Amino acid sequence: MANGLDDVVAADTVLSDVDGVGGHLTIRGHSLAELAGRWRYAQVVRLLFDGFFDDLPGDAELEKAIGKARVEVFDRVKPLLAKLPRLDIYSGMRAGMAILPDGDGLADALRLIAAPAVLTAALLRLGQGETPITPDEKADHAGDMLRMLAGTASPALAKALDSYLVTVCDHGLNASTFATRVVASTQAGLTSAILAGLGALKGPLHGGAPGPVIEMLDAIEASGDATAWLSDEIAHGERIMGFGHRIYRVRDPRADALKAVVRQLGSCNETSSRLAFAEKVEQAALDVLRIAKPQRSIQTNVEFYTALLLEAVGFPKEAFSNVFAAGRAAGWIAHAREQQATGRLIRPQSRYVGPLPDLVA
Ligand code: COA
């Protein structure tokens, strides 16, 4: 068996399906195209949570409950905030989330939805020497995340961020979701399960890729020759961030969903020239990868346009993985509940290939 568990089916799920050949993502019976840019994040949280919590309210009430959860999380983490900026922004968020109660109820789940938004904004402000902004429980989640970050949130930027959160809310049994399900299967609480997801998401082969995409774009801009820069990276055995996927053999449908959001934003600010440049880099990368790795179809993945979108709405690249976690928290929680409901501990086997003990005669 391959070390990466390729093609192993480790769970039955009603939550999402990734069709890597056709390039389709289905979330609880809806195509990504139906959801992205049309549904609000709170609606998608409801969609994913449906059937996993007895007391789940309707869309409008849930949006309010998420707002209340932001305020509650802010109050809980406030005494800790001054110590967290010593950590990198992702570790700071994870440390703040680790102090949340470890239950299995809706209130626990909503705190975990709220926490990445609250902590990321507060930690970014503290890192700039500014005071954290108290959440506004009446605001929508994405809009409040931007308001807590910058003091104001334009409706266009809030909508763009909301579309991003929806687009990344769930994606089959990816590494962080699997990690979440493994911990949930032990009947540890939701916070423990989500902390496992956070650990897995951080790596550059998973949710840590979009920050390096910005570094790549900046380096290519400075070098002036995308093809030469990318070819040199491949020649040195490096991976091109924002390209390739374990499941997709075609273009990741989330890449186009996010690119469309960036394009809309481009009509009202300088994002348009950044997008035009990124499109040229994308084409150069696809050409270089096709020649360098002819045996493998390596296409654009979600992270490439994630980087552009999150940059455009005002996040520094160091916080991109935090925002990914803010969206994916919904999927993690739903998967954790789905796994808990099976009552089955995930406990695979390993094959021992080490030395045998000396047999004593
Ligand atoms: N750049 C360069 N080469 C890549 C590549 C990339 N982005 N993605 C895959 N490859 C190459 C590998 O080097 C390998 O080549 P080889 O056979 O000559 O050794 C081949 O494609 C297969 O790689 P493998 O690691 O088996 O593919 P995978 O399906 O497990 O990889 C990723 C999936 C996501 C880990 C991989 O594509 C990657 O590292 N991408 C860059 C990071 C990224 O964007 N992550 C976000 C994912 S959403």
Side-chain angles (χ1 to χ4, degrees):
M1 187 204 300
N3 287 335
L5 301 181
D6 310 37
D7 301 325
V8 172
V9 175
D12 287 335
T13 184
V14 298
L15 294 167
S16 61
D17 181 55
V18 181
D19 171 359
V21 177
H24 303 297
L25 168 60
T26 302
I27 297 173
R28 294 209 99 167
H30 299 270
S31 71
L32 176 66
E34 267 178 80
L35 301 176
R38 296 193 167 86
W39 287 45
R40 291 162 67 98
Y41 183 61
Q43 289 178 288
V44 168
V45 170
R46 196 181 184 291
L47 178 71
L48 287 166
F49 283 10
D50 192 20
F52 297 114
F53 297 96
D54 293 339
D55 46 352
L56 192 64
D59 286 341
E61 288 306 308
L62 187 65
E63 178 117 43
K64 283 188 202 155
I66 293 173
K68 285 203 174 84
R70 284 195 303 276
V71 174
E72 190 196 331
V73 168
F74 187 79
D75 290 342
R76 277 179 188 269
V77 299
K78 214 166 18 181
L80 189 70
L81 281 176
K83 297 199 178 80
L84 296 180
R86 288 186 214 139
L87 303 170
D88 66 80
I89 191 80
Y90 195 86
S91 305
M93 172 186 72
R94 190 174 49 188
M97 290 176 74
I99 66 160
L100 297 177
D102 208 4
D104 293 323
L106 182 63
D108 301 288
L110 296 184
R111 278 192 290 269
L112 291 162
I113 294 282
V118 170
L119 281 155
T120 301
L123 292 173
L124 284 172
R125 285 187 72 83
L126 282 168
Q128 300 287 321
E130 299 185 62
T131 311
I133 296 175
T134 309
D136 172 2
E137 68 174 65
K138 294 201 175 63
D140 68 282
H141 191 57
D144 204 29
M145 189 170 182
L146 291 181
R147 196 193 58 82
M148 288 188 284
L149 179 67
T152 56
S154 84
L157 295 186
K159 187 170 187 311
L161 178 59
D162 193 65
S163 300
Y164 170 75
L165 298 176
V166 168
T167 302
V168 301
C169 69
D170 197 41
H171 199 244
L173 203 57
N174 57 83
S176 58
T177 300
F178 184 50
T180 300
R181 287 189 77 122
V182 169
V183 174
S185 84
T186 70
Q187 305 291 341
L190 288 174
T191 299
S192 295
I194 274 47
L195 287 172
L198 283 172
L201 188 76
K202 186 182 180 192
L205 299 191
H206 190 9
V213 167
I214 293 294
E215 283 156 21
M216 172 178 80
L217 290 176
D218 291 344
I220 290 175
E221 198 161 28
S223 85
D225 186 338
T227 303
W229 191 94
L230 292 159
S231 303
D232 193 52
E233 286 288 293
I234 298 278
H236 285 89
E238 301 292 339
R239 291 185 175 215
I240 309 299
M241 291 293 133
F243 296 86
H245 200 273
R246 176 63 61 79
I247 308 290
Y248 291 119
R249 288 294 150 260
V250 294
R251 193 177 169 83
D252 183 334
R254 298 168 300 172
D256 284 330
L258 297 179
K259 185 174 167 177
V261 177
V262 179
R263 193 177 293 290
Q264 271 176 3
L265 279 180
S267 58
C268 56
N269 63 21
E270 75 276 6
T271 303
S272 133
S273 58
R274 186 69 156 162
L275 175 61
F277 175 68
E279 283 178 308
K280 283 193 190 127
V281 171
E282 180 188 13
Q283 193 50 57
L286 292 172
D287 292 344
V288 165
L289 286 165
R290 194 175 54 248
I291 293 164
K293 308 279 174 184
Q295 75 288 3
R296 180 100 171 164
S297 172
I298 303 175
Q299 304 295 327
T300 315
N301 67 41
V302 64
E303 309 293 18
F304 192 76
Y305 287 103
T306 286
L308 257 70
L309 193 157
L310 296 185
E311 181 183 64
V313 300
F315 287 100
K317 62 181 189 300
E318 297 74 24
F320 287 179
S321 304
N322 294 45
V323 190
F324 193 166
R328 184 55 58 82
W332 287 336
I333 292 163
H335 275 273
R337 294 291 293 159
E338 188 179 51
Q339 183 63 44
Q340 286 171 342
T342 69
R344 190 75 184 151
L345 176 71
I346 297 177
R347 203 306 185 188
Q349 300 250 23
S350 51
R351 187 186 311 124
Y352 181 65
V353 293
L356 294 170
D358 291 336
L359 291 177
V360 181

Tab-separated table of all heavy atoms in Angstrom, residues 204-206 209 234 238-246 249 252 254 289 293 295-296 298 301-303, ligand 1:
chain	number	residue	atom	x	y	z
A	204	PRO	N	2.933	23.097	4.300
A	204	PRO	CA	2.908	23.684	2.951
A	204	PRO	C	2.344	22.759	1.879
A	204	PRO	O	1.974	23.233	0.807
A	204	PRO	CB	4.377	24.025	2.672
A	204	PRO	CG	5.161	23.211	3.635
A	204	PRO	CD	4.294	22.997	4.828
A	205	LEU	N	2.264	21.450	2.147
A	205	LEU	CA	1.652	20.578	1.145
A	205	LEU	C	0.134	20.615	1.250
A	205	LEU	O	-0.571	20.036	0.430
A	205	LEU	CB	2.148	19.134	1.303
A	205	LEU	CG	3.656	18.936	1.140
A	205	LEU	CD1	3.990	17.448	1.049
A	205	LEU	CD2	4.201	19.660	-0.088
A	206	HIS	N	-0.391	21.293	2.261
A	206	HIS	CA	-1.851	21.370	2.465
A	206	HIS	C	-2.228	22.847	2.545
A	206	HIS	O	-2.092	23.577	1.559
A	206	HIS	CB	-2.198	20.560	3.724
A	206	HIS	CG	-3.659	20.325	3.972
A	206	HIS	ND1	-4.647	20.633	3.068
A	206	HIS	CD2	-4.311	19.799	5.058
A	206	HIS	CE1	-5.835	20.310	3.575
A	206	HIS	NE2	-5.651	19.799	4.784
A	209	ALA	N	0.132	26.482	1.725
A	209	ALA	CA	0.669	26.853	0.411
A	209	ALA	C	0.411	28.306	-0.017
A	209	ALA	O	1.245	28.887	-0.699
A	209	ALA	CB	0.136	25.887	-0.659
A	234	ILE	N	12.097	23.980	-10.436
A	234	ILE	CA	11.894	22.550	-10.724
A	234	ILE	C	13.244	21.844	-10.815
A	234	ILE	O	13.419	20.740	-10.281
A	234	ILE	CB	11.115	22.373	-12.052
A	234	ILE	CG1	9.728	23.009	-11.947
A	234	ILE	CG2	11.023	20.900	-12.463
A	234	ILE	CD1	8.682	22.174	-11.273
A	238	GLU	N	12.329	21.700	-6.358
A	238	GLU	CA	11.291	22.393	-5.568
A	238	GLU	C	9.917	22.161	-6.196
A	238	GLU	O	9.797	21.891	-7.383
A	238	GLU	CB	11.562	23.913	-5.520
A	238	GLU	CG	12.891	24.297	-4.913
A	238	GLU	CD	12.980	24.008	-3.415
A	238	GLU	OE1	11.915	23.891	-2.774
A	238	GLU	OE2	14.106	23.873	-2.905
A	239	ARG	N	8.878	22.308	-5.381
A	239	ARG	CA	7.501	22.229	-5.890
A	239	ARG	C	6.972	23.638	-6.127
A	239	ARG	O	7.289	24.561	-5.390
A	239	ARG	CB	6.617	21.502	-4.902
A	239	ARG	CG	7.027	20.038	-4.869
A	239	ARG	CD	6.161	19.194	-4.016
A	239	ARG	NE	6.619	17.821	-4.196
A	239	ARG	CZ	5.836	16.767	-4.198
A	239	ARG	NH1	4.540	16.913	-4.022
A	239	ARG	NH2	6.323	15.562	-4.377
A	240	ILE	N	6.154	23.763	-7.144
A	240	ILE	CA	5.556	25.060	-7.453
A	240	ILE	C	4.270	25.166	-6.631
A	240	ILE	O	3.334	24.373	-6.808
A	240	ILE	CB	5.241	25.196	-8.965
A	240	ILE	CG1	6.472	24.828	-9.809
A	240	ILE	CG2	4.739	26.591	-9.285
A	240	ILE	CD1	7.691	25.680	-9.585
A	241	MET	N	4.247	26.128	-5.736
A	241	MET	CA	3.110	26.253	-4.812
A	241	MET	C	1.846	26.713	-5.559
A	241	MET	O	1.912	27.606	-6.408
A	241	MET	CB	3.448	27.261	-3.701
A	241	MET	CG	4.504	26.753	-2.756
A	241	MET	SD	3.895	25.358	-1.778
A	241	MET	CE	5.240	24.207	-1.937
A	242	GLY	N	0.730	26.064	-5.199
A	242	GLY	CA	-0.529	26.421	-5.870
A	242	GLY	C	-0.822	25.536	-7.069
A	242	GLY	O	-1.778	25.788	-7.808
A	243	PHE	N	-0.004	24.490	-7.244
A	243	PHE	CA	-0.206	23.561	-8.372
A	243	PHE	C	-0.094	22.130	-7.870
A	243	PHE	O	0.694	21.832	-6.978
A	243	PHE	CB	0.835	23.819	-9.479
A	243	PHE	CG	0.672	25.179	-10.085
A	243	PHE	CD1	1.279	26.279	-9.506
A	243	PHE	CD2	-0.157	25.369	-11.188
A	243	PHE	CE1	1.090	27.550	-10.016
A	243	PHE	CE2	-0.357	26.641	-11.705
A	243	PHE	CZ	0.266	27.739	-11.121
A	244	GLY	N	-0.894	21.258	-8.484
A	244	GLY	CA	-0.857	19.834	-8.143
A	244	GLY	C	-1.865	19.497	-7.062
A	244	GLY	O	-2.242	20.351	-6.237
A	245	HIS	N	-2.341	18.282	-7.103
A	245	HIS	CA	-3.318	17.835	-6.111
A	245	HIS	C	-3.332	16.315	-6.095
A	245	HIS	O	-3.142	15.680	-7.122
A	245	HIS	CB	-4.726	18.357	-6.471
A	245	HIS	CG	-5.658	18.357	-5.304
A	245	HIS	ND1	-6.401	17.256	-4.967
A	245	HIS	CD2	-5.933	19.314	-4.391
A	245	HIS	CE1	-7.105	17.546	-3.887
A	245	HIS	NE2	-6.845	18.779	-3.509
A	246	ARG	N	-3.560	15.750	-4.912
A	246	ARG	CA	-3.615	14.296	-4.805
A	246	ARG	C	-4.820	13.727	-5.568
A	246	ARG	O	-4.726	12.657	-6.181
A	246	ARG	CB	-3.675	13.897	-3.325
A	246	ARG	CG	-3.835	12.405	-3.065
A	246	ARG	CD	-2.659	11.571	-3.575
A	246	ARG	NE	-1.402	11.887	-2.983
A	246	ARG	CZ	-0.987	11.488	-1.783
A	246	ARG	NH1	-1.752	10.726	-1.038
A	246	ARG	NH2	0.196	11.830	-1.335
A	249	ARG	N	-7.013	15.553	-11.177
A	249	ARG	CA	-6.123	15.412	-12.333
A	249	ARG	C	-6.437	16.510	-13.347
A	249	ARG	O	-5.811	16.621	-14.387
A	249	ARG	CB	-6.297	14.024	-12.996
A	249	ARG	CG	-5.711	12.911	-12.175
A	249	ARG	CD	-4.163	13.016	-12.058
A	249	ARG	NE	-3.665	12.472	-10.807
A	249	ARG	CZ	-3.336	13.199	-9.744
A	249	ARG	NH1	-3.405	14.507	-9.770
A	249	ARG	NH2	-2.895	12.641	-8.649
A	252	ASP	N	-8.571	22.339	-10.393
A	252	ASP	CA	-9.374	22.372	-9.171
A	252	ASP	C	-10.528	23.366	-9.383
A	252	ASP	O	-10.278	24.540	-9.683
A	252	ASP	CB	-8.424	22.842	-8.041
A	252	ASP	CG	-9.050	22.866	-6.656
A	252	ASP	OD1	-10.271	23.015	-6.556
A	252	ASP	OD2	-8.272	22.765	-5.681
A	254	ARG	N	-12.278	24.930	-7.434
A	254	ARG	CA	-12.231	26.061	-6.502
A	254	ARG	C	-11.330	27.175	-7.029
A	254	ARG	O	-11.520	28.347	-6.698
A	254	ARG	CB	-11.752	25.581	-5.127
A	254	ARG	CG	-12.695	24.563	-4.498
A	254	ARG	CD	-12.066	23.902	-3.289
A	254	ARG	NE	-10.843	23.197	-3.632
A	254	ARG	CZ	-10.006	22.647	-2.777
A	254	ARG	NH1	-10.279	22.719	-1.485
A	254	ARG	NH2	-8.904	22.023	-3.182
A	289	LEU	N	5.480	22.881	-15.908
A	289	LEU	CA	5.147	21.599	-15.259
A	289	LEU	C	4.822	20.525	-16.298
A	289	LEU	O	5.186	19.353	-16.120
A	289	LEU	CB	3.973	21.777	-14.291
A	289	LEU	CG	4.321	22.507	-12.980
A	289	LEU	CD1	3.070	22.972	-12.251
A	289	LEU	CD2	5.157	21.607	-12.065
A	293	LYS	N	7.171	17.434	-15.948
A	293	LYS	CA	6.527	16.256	-15.347
A	293	LYS	C	5.478	15.692	-16.303
A	293	LYS	O	4.274	15.701	-16.009
A	293	LYS	CB	5.841	16.630	-14.017
A	293	LYS	CG	6.714	17.364	-13.028
A	293	LYS	CD	7.599	16.416	-12.262
A	293	LYS	CE	8.577	17.183	-11.382
A	293	LYS	NZ	9.534	16.322	-10.678
A	295	GLN	N	4.611	12.854	-17.030
A	295	GLN	CA	3.908	11.646	-16.565
A	295	GLN	C	2.736	11.969	-15.643
A	295	GLN	O	1.944	11.098	-15.304
A	295	GLN	CB	4.899	10.687	-15.873
A	295	GLN	CG	5.370	11.076	-14.471
A	295	GLN	CD	6.349	12.255	-14.400
A	295	GLN	OE1	6.681	12.875	-15.409
A	295	GLN	NE2	6.821	12.573	-13.193
A	296	ARG	N	2.625	13.243	-15.206
A	296	ARG	CA	1.639	13.611	-14.198
A	296	ARG	C	0.882	14.859	-14.656
A	296	ARG	O	1.511	15.819	-15.099
A	296	ARG	CB	2.399	13.939	-12.900
A	296	ARG	CG	1.534	14.350	-11.755
A	296	ARG	CD	1.347	13.196	-10.848
A	296	ARG	NE	0.697	13.514	-9.604
A	296	ARG	CZ	0.177	12.576	-8.837
A	296	ARG	NH1	0.240	11.310	-9.189
A	296	ARG	NH2	-0.407	12.891	-7.711
A	298	ILE	N	-0.416	18.000	-13.672
A	298	ILE	CA	-0.332	18.920	-12.526
A	298	ILE	C	-1.000	20.239	-12.920
A	298	ILE	O	-0.532	20.949	-13.812
A	298	ILE	CB	1.142	19.156	-12.107
A	298	ILE	CG1	1.808	17.810	-11.787
A	298	ILE	CG2	1.211	20.098	-10.911
A	298	ILE	CD1	3.291	17.905	-11.486
A	301	ASN	N	-4.279	24.538	-8.344
A	301	ASN	CA	-5.148	24.145	-7.238
A	301	ASN	C	-5.721	25.377	-6.530
A	301	ASN	O	-5.440	26.525	-6.913
A	301	ASN	CB	-4.424	23.175	-6.277
A	301	ASN	CG	-3.277	23.829	-5.520
A	301	ASN	OD1	-3.381	24.967	-5.062
A	301	ASN	ND2	-2.167	23.094	-5.378
A	302	VAL	N	-6.491	25.130	-5.486
A	302	VAL	CA	-7.232	26.196	-4.791
A	302	VAL	C	-6.317	27.300	-4.260
A	302	VAL	O	-6.707	28.462	-4.172
A	302	VAL	CB	-8.062	25.570	-3.635
A	302	VAL	CG1	-7.169	24.952	-2.575
A	302	VAL	CG2	-9.009	26.568	-3.005
A	303	GLU	N	-5.073	26.922	-3.916
A	303	GLU	CA	-4.232	27.872	-3.188
A	303	GLU	C	-3.744	29.036	-4.034
A	303	GLU	O	-3.425	30.099	-3.505
A	303	GLU	CB	-3.021	27.144	-2.567
A	303	GLU	CG	-3.361	25.928	-1.749
A	303	GLU	CD	-4.128	26.240	-0.478
A	303	GLU	OE1	-4.695	27.340	-0.366
A	303	GLU	OE2	-4.168	25.369	0.400
B	1	COA	N1	5.446	21.294	-8.411
B	1	COA	C1	6.359	20.484	-8.953
B	1	COA	N2	6.225	19.162	-9.026
B	1	COA	C2	5.105	18.631	-8.528
B	1	COA	C3	4.106	19.422	-7.945
B	1	COA	C4	4.310	20.810	-7.903
B	1	COA	N3	3.411	21.613	-7.365
B	1	COA	N4	3.096	18.625	-7.539
B	1	COA	C5	3.449	17.369	-7.851
B	1	COA	N5	4.666	17.376	-8.442
B	1	COA	C6	5.417	16.247	-8.958
B	1	COA	C7	6.242	15.572	-7.887
B	1	COA	O1	7.493	16.183	-7.753
B	1	COA	C8	6.311	14.185	-8.446
B	1	COA	O2	7.270	14.174	-9.472
B	1	COA	P1	8.259	12.893	-9.674
B	1	COA	O3	7.332	11.750	-10.008
B	1	COA	O4	9.140	13.319	-10.789
B	1	COA	O5	8.949	12.701	-8.354
B	1	COA	C9	4.955	13.983	-9.088
B	1	COA	O6	4.472	15.274	-9.403
B	1	COA	C10	3.951	13.309	-8.195
B	1	COA	O7	4.055	13.905	-6.916
B	1	COA	P2	3.275	13.378	-5.647
B	1	COA	O8	3.903	13.973	-4.432
B	1	COA	O9	3.109	11.881	-5.706
B	1	COA	O10	1.852	13.996	-5.909
B	1	COA	P3	0.742	14.169	-4.876
B	1	COA	O11	-0.497	13.905	-5.596
B	1	COA	O12	0.944	13.409	-3.634
B	1	COA	O13	0.925	15.725	-4.525
B	1	COA	C11	0.584	17.774	-3.556
B	1	COA	C12	-0.078	16.535	-4.129
B	1	COA	C13	-0.494	18.812	-3.267
B	1	COA	C14	1.273	17.404	-2.233
B	1	COA	C15	1.608	18.325	-4.562
B	1	COA	O14	0.998	18.543	-5.798
B	1	COA	C16	2.303	19.579	-4.070
B	1	COA	O15	3.258	19.479	-3.306
B	1	COA	N6	1.854	20.787	-4.522
B	1	COA	C17	2.449	22.027	-4.103
B	1	COA	C18	1.898	22.466	-2.750
B	1	COA	C19	0.468	22.925	-2.849
B	1	COA	O16	0.091	23.681	-3.721
B	1	COA	N7	-0.328	22.444	-1.877
B	1	COA	C20	-1.743	22.777	-1.791
B	1	COA	C21	-2.584	21.606	-2.166
B	1	COA	S1	-4.293	22.025	-2.283
